[in-house]
PDB file of all heavy atoms in Angstrom:
ATOM      1  N   ALA Y  25      62.613 102.806  74.069  1.00 91.00           N
ATOM      2  CA  ALA Y  25      62.984 102.767  72.654  1.00 91.00           C
ATOM      3  C   ALA Y  25      61.864 103.327  71.784  1.00 91.00           C
ATOM      4  O   ALA Y  25      60.679 103.207  72.119  1.00 91.00           O
ATOM      5  CB  ALA Y  25      63.285 101.333  72.246  1.00 91.00           C
ATOM      6  N   LEU Y  53      69.283  91.471  66.386  1.00 98.00           N
ATOM      7  CA  LEU Y  53      69.181  91.310  67.841  1.00 98.00           C
ATOM      8  C   LEU Y  53      69.667  89.914  68.209  1.00 98.00           C
ATOM      9  O   LEU Y  53      69.082  88.919  67.807  1.00 98.00           O
ATOM     10  CB  LEU Y  53      67.730  91.489  68.298  1.00 98.00           C
ATOM     11  CG  LEU Y  53      67.473  91.243  69.797  1.00 98.00           C
ATOM     12  CD1 LEU Y  53      68.196  92.278  70.640  1.00 98.00           C
ATOM     13  CD2 LEU Y  53      65.981  91.241  70.085  1.00 98.00           C
ATOM     14  N   GLY Y  55      72.127  88.952  71.725  1.00 97.00           N
ATOM     15  CA  GLY Y  55      71.974  89.046  73.170  1.00 97.00           C
ATOM     16  C   GLY Y  55      71.248  90.307  73.595  1.00 97.00           C
ATOM     17  O   GLY Y  55      70.575  90.345  74.618  1.00 97.00           O
ATOM     18  N   GLY Y  56      71.431  91.367  72.815  1.00 96.00           N
ATOM     19  CA  GLY Y  56      70.761  92.624  73.101  1.00 96.00           C
ATOM     20  C   GLY Y  56      71.342  93.413  74.253  1.00 96.00           C
ATOM     21  O   GLY Y  56      70.780  94.431  74.668  1.00 96.00           O
ATOM     22  N   GLN Y  57      72.488  92.997  74.777  1.00 96.00           N
ATOM     23  CA  GLN Y  57      73.042  93.647  75.965  1.00 96.00           C
ATOM     24  C   GLN Y  57      73.622  95.022  75.675  1.00 96.00           C
ATOM     25  O   GLN Y  57      73.791  95.833  76.593  1.00 96.00           O
ATOM     26  CB  GLN Y  57      74.103  92.746  76.602  1.00 96.00           C
ATOM     27  CG  GLN Y  57      73.577  91.386  77.018  1.00 96.00           C
ATOM     28  CD  GLN Y  57      72.380  91.481  77.939  1.00 96.00           C
ATOM     29  OE1 GLN Y  57      72.496  91.914  79.073  1.00 96.00           O
ATOM     30  NE2 GLN Y  57      71.210  91.109  77.450  1.00 96.00           N
ATOM     31  N   SER Y  58      73.912  95.304  74.427  1.00 95.00           N
ATOM     32  CA  SER Y  58      74.341  96.651  74.026  1.00 95.00           C
ATOM     33  C   SER Y  58      73.255  97.350  73.218  1.00 95.00           C
ATOM     34  O   SER Y  58      72.983  98.535  73.423  1.00 95.00           O
ATOM     35  CB  SER Y  58      75.629  96.578  73.198  1.00 95.00           C
ATOM     36  OG  SER Y  58      76.702  96.067  73.944  1.00 95.00           O
ATOM     37  N   LEU Y  59      72.620  96.624  72.309  1.00 96.00           N
ATOM     38  CA  LEU Y  59      71.642  97.241  71.409  1.00 96.00           C
ATOM     39  C   LEU Y  59      70.430  97.783  72.162  1.00 96.00           C
ATOM     40  O   LEU Y  59      69.982  98.908  71.902  1.00 96.00           O
ATOM     41  CB  LEU Y  59      71.203  96.232  70.347  1.00 96.00           C
ATOM     42  CG  LEU Y  59      70.133  96.718  69.361  1.00 96.00           C
ATOM     43  CD1 LEU Y  59      70.619  97.953  68.612  1.00 96.00           C
ATOM     44  CD2 LEU Y  59      69.755  95.610  68.388  1.00 96.00           C
ATOM     45  N   VAL Y  60      69.879  97.011  73.078  1.00 95.00           N
ATOM     46  CA  VAL Y  60      68.661  97.449  73.768  1.00 95.00           C
ATOM     47  C   VAL Y  60      68.897  98.717  74.588  1.00 95.00           C
ATOM     48  O   VAL Y  60      68.108  99.673  74.501  1.00 95.00           O
ATOM     49  CB  VAL Y  60      68.080  96.315  74.629  1.00 95.00           C
ATOM     50  CG1 VAL Y  60      66.943  96.829  75.501  1.00 95.00           C
ATOM     51  CG2 VAL Y  60      67.587  95.179  73.731  1.00 95.00           C
ATOM     52  N   PRO Y  61      69.979  98.813  75.382  1.00 94.00           N
ATOM     53  CA  PRO Y  61      70.237 100.091  76.069  1.00 94.00           C
ATOM     54  C   PRO Y  61      70.444 101.247  75.092  1.00 94.00           C
ATOM     55  O   PRO Y  61      69.994 102.370  75.356  1.00 94.00           O
ATOM     56  CB  PRO Y  61      71.504  99.819  76.874  1.00 94.00           C
ATOM     57  CG  PRO Y  61      71.504  98.339  77.084  1.00 94.00           C
ATOM     58  CD  PRO Y  61      70.911  97.766  75.841  1.00 94.00           C
ATOM     59  N   MET Y  62      71.116 100.990  73.971  1.00 95.00           N
ATOM     60  CA  MET Y  62      71.315 102.048  72.980  1.00 95.00           C
ATOM     61  C   MET Y  62      69.978 102.531  72.426  1.00 95.00           C
ATOM     62  O   MET Y  62      69.780 103.726  72.197  1.00 95.00           O
ATOM     63  CB  MET Y  62      72.217 101.538  71.856  1.00 95.00           C
ATOM     64  CG  MET Y  62      73.664 101.331  72.269  1.00 95.00           C
ATOM     65  SD  MET Y  62      74.645 100.447  71.035  1.00 95.00           S
ATOM     66  CE  MET Y  62      74.704 101.662  69.715  1.00 95.00           C
ATOM     67  N   MET Y  63      69.048 101.600  72.226  1.00 95.00           N
ATOM     68  CA  MET Y  63      67.719 101.984  71.749  1.00 95.00           C
ATOM     69  C   MET Y  63      66.958 102.766  72.818  1.00 95.00           C
ATOM     70  O   MET Y  63      66.281 103.752  72.511  1.00 95.00           O
ATOM     71  CB  MET Y  63      66.940 100.740  71.323  1.00 95.00           C
ATOM     72  CG  MET Y  63      67.495 100.062  70.087  1.00 95.00           C
ATOM     73  SD  MET Y  63      66.693  98.481  69.718  1.00 95.00           S
ATOM     74  CE  MET Y  63      65.000  99.013  69.418  1.00 95.00           C
ATOM     75  N   ASN Y  64      67.063 102.332  74.061  1.00 95.00           N
ATOM     76  CA  ASN Y  64      66.360 103.027  75.141  1.00 95.00           C
ATOM     77  C   ASN Y  64      66.859 104.458  75.326  1.00 95.00           C
ATOM     78  O   ASN Y  64      66.092 105.347  75.707  1.00 95.00           O
ATOM     79  CB  ASN Y  64      66.486 102.256  76.446  1.00 95.00           C
ATOM     80  CG  ASN Y  64      65.645 100.992  76.451  1.00 95.00           C
ATOM     81  OD1 ASN Y  64      64.711 100.856  75.669  1.00 95.00           O
ATOM     82  ND2 ASN Y  64      65.971 100.068  77.340  1.00 95.00           N
ATOM     83  N   PHE Y  65      68.134 104.669  75.064  1.00 93.00           N
ATOM     84  CA  PHE Y  65      68.697 106.013  75.159  1.00 93.00           C
ATOM     85  C   PHE Y  65      68.597 106.778  73.845  1.00 93.00           C
ATOM     86  O   PHE Y  65      69.124 107.883  73.732  1.00 93.00           O
ATOM     87  CB  PHE Y  65      70.161 105.942  75.613  1.00 93.00           C
ATOM     88  CG  PHE Y  65      70.326 105.698  77.084  1.00 93.00           C
ATOM     89  CD1 PHE Y  65      70.787 104.475  77.553  1.00 93.00           C
ATOM     90  CD2 PHE Y  65      70.023 106.686  78.012  1.00 93.00           C
ATOM     91  CE1 PHE Y  65      70.939 104.238  78.916  1.00 93.00           C
ATOM     92  CE2 PHE Y  65      70.177 106.462  79.370  1.00 93.00           C
ATOM     93  CZ  PHE Y  65      70.628 105.240  79.835  1.00 93.00           C
ATOM     94  N   LEU Y  73      63.767  95.122  64.060  1.00 97.00           N
ATOM     95  CA  LEU Y  73      64.695  94.257  64.776  1.00 97.00           C
ATOM     96  C   LEU Y  73      64.560  92.845  64.225  1.00 97.00           C
ATOM     97  O   LEU Y  73      63.455  92.296  64.169  1.00 97.00           O
ATOM     98  CB  LEU Y  73      64.389  94.239  66.274  1.00 97.00           C
ATOM     99  CG  LEU Y  73      64.872  95.415  67.116  1.00 97.00           C
ATOM    100  CD1 LEU Y  73      64.640  95.117  68.591  1.00 97.00           C
ATOM    101  CD2 LEU Y  73      66.341  95.695  66.864  1.00 97.00           C
TER     102      LEU Y  73
END
Side-chain angles (χ1 to χ4, degrees):
L53 176 65
Q57 301 305 292
S58 296
L59 178 59
V60 172
M62 290 169 68
M63 292 173 62
N64 287 340
F65 282 109
L73 281 188

